[in-house]
Amino acid sequence: MRNYRLLDFRQELIAIVGSEKVITEQSKIRFYSTGIRVGFGDACAVVFPKDLIQLWKILETAISFDKIILLQAANTGLTGGSTPDGNNYDRDVVIINTLHLDKLFILNNGSQVIALPGTTLFQLEEQLLPLGRGPHSVIGSSCIGASVVGGVCNNSGGNLVNRGPAYTELSLFARLNQKGQLELVNHLDIELGDSPEKILTNLESANFKKKGLQDSDRMASDRTYQKRVRDFHAITPSRFNADKRRHYEASGCAGKIAVFAVRLDTFPLPKDEQVFLVGTNNPRRFTELREKILLTFDHLPDMGEYMHRSYFDGSDKYCKDTFLIIKYFGTRFLPKLLAIKRKLDYIAVKTRFLPKHFSDKVLQFIANIFPDHLPERIRDIRRKYEHYMVLLTSDKSIEPTQNLLDLAISLEDDYDYIKCTSSEGKDLLLHRYVAGAAPVRYRIINSSKVGELLPLDVALPRNCTSWYQILPREIISQMAESFQMGHFLCMVFHWDFVLKKGANLNDLKEQILTILDKNNAKYPAEHNVGHLYKADECLESFYRSLDPTNSFNPGIGKTSKKKHYE
């Protein structure tokens, strides 16, 4: 009987979007049901709506057939939150991929935007550039191709200190109420109509006022972040996923509602920019720099990124292909690259005589053929030092930063810096941006020698000065490789560990989390809890309030996967 119902469900999906937009073959579903770092589970179908009305009809159909709904855009989540988790659900899972829903609407001459669920950060950045505006975040290293809505739903932090994490109180979303009824809620503060069909049609056809809009009482960005991040002596982190101050409908929802659109603030672009690369063998020097910057600067740098040599070298060796592709072909080529990778891996699975992760191995081989891609002065800092700080400054923060670095180096002889040329600065920032893929590629290339991947996304207290020695040697010694970097001014770190063969991932993870708890850290910092972290009581309560029937992304944050959270 269940098989008949499943066939009926698939036929209903095909009736909505067409047969070419529904995937039911498990070998093809695997690409969408597998996370880029962790996470995998079964799904009965992947469906690709081409417009918002189709998305609404798919939701109605999935609910009528009692399916679990998992919305997914670029599938760039690092904690498995945008893919199924195992096969122990009490209902079939349907994945709705929203990448085709990528329209973007400019409001009030660029001061705000409305983004649909498939709009990417690259796309947003590109369309705002001619207007002299920028988004809340420049695309990060680990999530190249990430969607705007995904960032909001996951409280993504980004690396731009002055703009804070992704946040808005203005959104359009569908939810399933306690009675099992699907509701469309328009909190964009823009008049679009009085029925789901009218609202969605008017939005997608841009049939609404886009200029002269009145300011909303609701926030469209985290306007208080600069004040929080400057509190150098605070015993709590500046930002983290479970911060209840930043849970509001779509913001932080982690897929527990179906978000159709978000309205966001944009930010004026600087007139001048300058990148500095600082190197040291004494990490205390970076703590001193951070204190002086946060407590004495009138204008903060735009970015203060820490890289340990492990991540610098990892990006150098394992992300060179992505670096070269973006540098010479631009970000527009990335969707094509992902499509090529998907086809290669599909062929490899089908033929069976080709190795697993065939596309990654091919790209790694090709990248190794090319000559050195990093400027010599950057290489020189790498050779001399173990710890690096990338400071992106602009306008009124350029001169104070250089003065501080000159003074610091005149007083201490254990570090140095370079003032990057324009081309050096672009290469250095790109080197940092692509770095997040290094742990996965490292594990793929060395799969026969190493164990599992343990990615950690940690927010340390703002007053933490021992950030570089939190974990004891007996834990680090069980890692084949330890990749470490972070958004240093924010005290947010990415510790990505590849375990030695035979090391127990669960035991190590529990030991590390216990140490983090003792240090008053919060985790995850800027990704959602996914299926790696347990949602705390406050966060779980937020999820339950959004999705009382547990029909959207059940199991997130290690919550119940069963209907009504039974």
Side-chain angles (χ1 to χ4, degrees):
M1 182 67 179
R2 181 174 178 176
N3 288 336
Y4 287 120
R5 288 280 291 169
L6 181 57
L7 289 173
D8 289 344
F9 173 62
R10 289 169 172 170
Q11 288 302 314
E12 290 283 344
L13 294 179
I14 290 171
I16 296 169
V17 300
S19 59
E20 293 183 355
K21 298 300 181 182
V22 179
I23 297 175
T24 58
E25 185 181 335
Q26 286 301 315
S27 59
K28 293 182 179 180
I29 286 176
R30 181 176 291 270
F31 177 83
Y32 301 95
S33 63
T34 304
I36 62 170
R37 284 196 183 177
V38 296
F40 170 74
D42 286 344
C44 68
V46 182
V47 57
F48 303 84
K50 69 176 183 180
D51 57 44
L52 297 181
I53 291 291
Q54 284 191 354
L55 175 55
W56 175 258
K57 289 179 178 179
I58 292 166
L59 293 175
E60 289 182 316
T61 300
I63 291 164
S64 69
F65 278 84
D66 197 26
K67 303 301 182 187
I68 286 171
I69 298 165
L70 202 158
L71 281 101
Q72 177 191 92
N75 191 16
T76 56
L78 303 185
T79 57
S82 54
T83 55
D85 175 51
N87 306 314
N88 58 339
Y89 294 94
D90 61 346
R91 293 150 288 164
D92 293 325
V93 177
V94 58
I95 297 173
I96 304 174
N97 188 285
T98 61
L99 274 183
H100 295 309
L101 310 177
D102 61 354
K103 287 187 178 180
L104 178 70
F105 306 105
I106 305 296
L107 307 180
N108 287 347
N109 299 313
S111 64
Q112 288 189 329
V113 297
I114 291 177
L116 299 193
T119 307
T120 65
L121 271 171
F122 279 138
Q123 183 184 346
L124 176 57
E125 188 177 4
E126 189 176 60
Q127 292 196 34
L128 288 176
L129 186 61
L131 303 174
R133 309 287 296 187
H136 88 277
S137 177
V138 177
I139 190 66
S141 58
S142 53
C143 298
I144 292 172
S147 70
V148 176
V149 166
V152 171
C153 294
N154 298 327
N155 290 126
S156 295
N159 48 22
L160 297 179
V161 182
N162 294 302
R163 303 178 192 179
Y167 180 74
T168 186
E169 296 169 1
L170 298 165
S171 64
L172 173 67
F173 61 93
R175 67 184 177 196
L176 202 59
N177 65 24
Q178 189 72 49
K179 297 178 180 179
Q181 298 167 332
L182 188 65
E183 304 173 329
L184 186 67
V185 180
N186 179 13
H187 283 168
L188 290 171
D189 279 6
I190 294 174
E191 178 55 45
L192 293 168
D194 56 6
S195 70
E197 291 75 16
K198 287 181 180 179
I199 291 170
L200 298 176
T201 301
N202 285 332
L203 175 60
E204 194 150 29
S205 61
N207 184 25
F208 58 91
K209 186 178 180 181
K210 292 178 281 298
K211 293 184 179 180
L213 289 170
Q214 296 296 315
D215 290 338
S216 173
D217 292 334
R218 297 187 178 99
M219 292 196 297
S221 62
D222 188 346
R223 299 171 187 167
T224 63
Y225 185 70
Q226 268 205 50
K227 182 178 180 181
R228 291 206 310 278
V229 78
R230 282 181 178 273
D231 192 353
F232 181 83
H233 300 292
I235 63 173
T236 57
S238 60
R239 55 181 169 91
F240 53 98
N241 181 266
D243 186 350
K244 62 183 180 181
R245 294 171 299 183
R246 290 297 171 259
H247 294 158
Y248 192 95
E249 296 176 343
S251 293
C253 72
K256 298 300 287 181
I257 53 178
V259 180
F260 282 72
V262 293
R263 179 176 169 184
L264 294 163
D265 289 334
T266 68
F267 302 86
L269 293 177
K271 295 179 181 178
D272 298 302
E273 288 186 334
Q274 178 60 56
V275 177
F276 298 92
L277 174 61
V278 190
T280 185
N281 289 316
N282 183 354
R284 288 193 298 271
R285 299 291 174 238
F286 286 168
T287 300
E288 294 164 0
L289 284 178
R290 177 174 172 266
E291 181 177 14
K292 289 182 172 65
I293 289 171
L294 292 179
L295 296 182
T296 67
F297 278 26
D298 291 330
H299 302 275
L300 294 179
D302 299 282
M303 190 186 301
E305 295 293 287
Y306 167 75
M307 292 186 81
H308 183 262
R309 181 178 286 169
S310 57
Y311 241 126
F312 188 101
D313 290 354
S315 180
D316 182 19
K317 183 173 182 179
Y318 297 107
C319 305
K320 184 177 178 181
D321 53 312
T322 308
F323 178 102
L324 294 172
I325 287 166
I326 294 176
K327 181 173 181 177
Y328 294 109
F329 295 96
T331 57
R332 287 179 175 273
F333 186 72
L334 286 176
K336 294 180 181 178
L337 175 65
L338 291 174
I340 293 170
K341 283 175 88 302
R342 183 164 64 246
K343 288 180 180 179
L344 283 174
D345 289 335
Y346 176 70
I347 293 170
V349 169
K350 280 291 189 182
T351 56
R352 297 188 179 182
F353 65 84
L354 292 174
K356 193 177 180 181
H357 302 295
F358 179 63
S359 63
D360 283 282
K361 293 176 180 178
V362 169
L363 288 170
Q364 185 67 30
F365 175 79
I366 294 173
N368 290 338
I369 298 173
F370 284 83
D372 191 2
H373 59 296
L374 294 178
E376 178 56 31
R377 290 206 303 161
I378 293 175
R379 285 278 181 215
D380 189 51
I381 292 289
R382 153 63 185 83
R383 284 189 287 265
K384 292 178 180 177
Y385 303 106
E386 182 182 358
H387 305 273
Y388 319 103
M389 178 85 73
V390 180
L391 288 165
L392 172 62
T393 60
S394 64
D395 298 337
K396 294 182 180 180
S397 68
I398 296 174
E399 185 177 351
T401 301
Q402 183 161 2
N403 290 341
L404 175 60
L405 293 174
D406 287 338
L407 176 62
I409 287 170
S410 70
L411 298 175
E412 306 290 346
D413 60 2
D414 55 357
Y415 66 128
D416 200 358
Y417 83 93
I418 60 171
K419 183 178 181 180
C420 295
T421 64
S422 176
S423 61
E424 286 174 334
K426 290 177 182 177
D427 284 349
L428 181 60
L429 291 176
L430 184 52
H431 180 69
R432 163 62 186 88
Y433 290 164
V434 301
V440 174
R441 180 68 66 82
Y442 169 87
R443 183 170 180 264
I444 288 172
I445 300 302
N446 299 282
S447 58
S448 63
K449 306 174 186 176
V450 302
E452 297 178 84
L453 178 64
L454 175 57
L456 293 171
D457 170 34
V458 180
L460 296 176
R462 284 163 282 180
N463 68 345
C464 181
T465 58
S466 59
W467 52 272
Y468 52 91
Q469 53 187 13
I470 298 288
L471 300 181
R473 289 184 178 179
E474 54 264 30
I475 286 181
I476 298 297
S477 66
Q478 298 185 63
M479 311 300 180
E481 186 60 82
S482 303
F483 297 92
Q484 303 168 52
M485 66 179 176
H487 311 307
F488 191 68
L489 297 181
C490 304
M491 274 288 106
V492 168
F493 290 87
H494 300 293
W495 297 338
D496 296 304
F497 302 114
V498 181
L499 278 57
K500 289 181 178 178
K501 208 82 168 176
N504 189 301
L505 184 143
N506 290 328
D507 286 351
L508 277 173
K509 181 180 175 182
E510 288 305 312
Q511 291 177 49
I512 292 172
L513 296 185
T514 299
I515 293 170
L516 291 176
D517 290 340
K518 290 178 180 178
N519 283 272
N520 209 26
K522 296 289 185 181
Y523 47 84
E526 57 180 6
H527 306 297
N528 77 35
V529 287
H531 297 286
L532 285 183
Y533 302 94
K534 180 175 175 56
D536 65 19
E537 187 177 337
C538 178
L539 186 57
E540 182 174 351
S541 177
F542 175 60
Y543 291 161
R544 285 174 176 259
S545 70
L546 295 175
D547 181 23
T549 66
N550 205 20
S551 297
F552 290 86
N553 208 6
I556 196 81
K558 299 187 180 297
T559 58
S560 171
K561 293 180 178 179
K562 295 184 178 181
K563 196 168 184 178
H564 298 290
Y565 302 92
E566 294 174 356

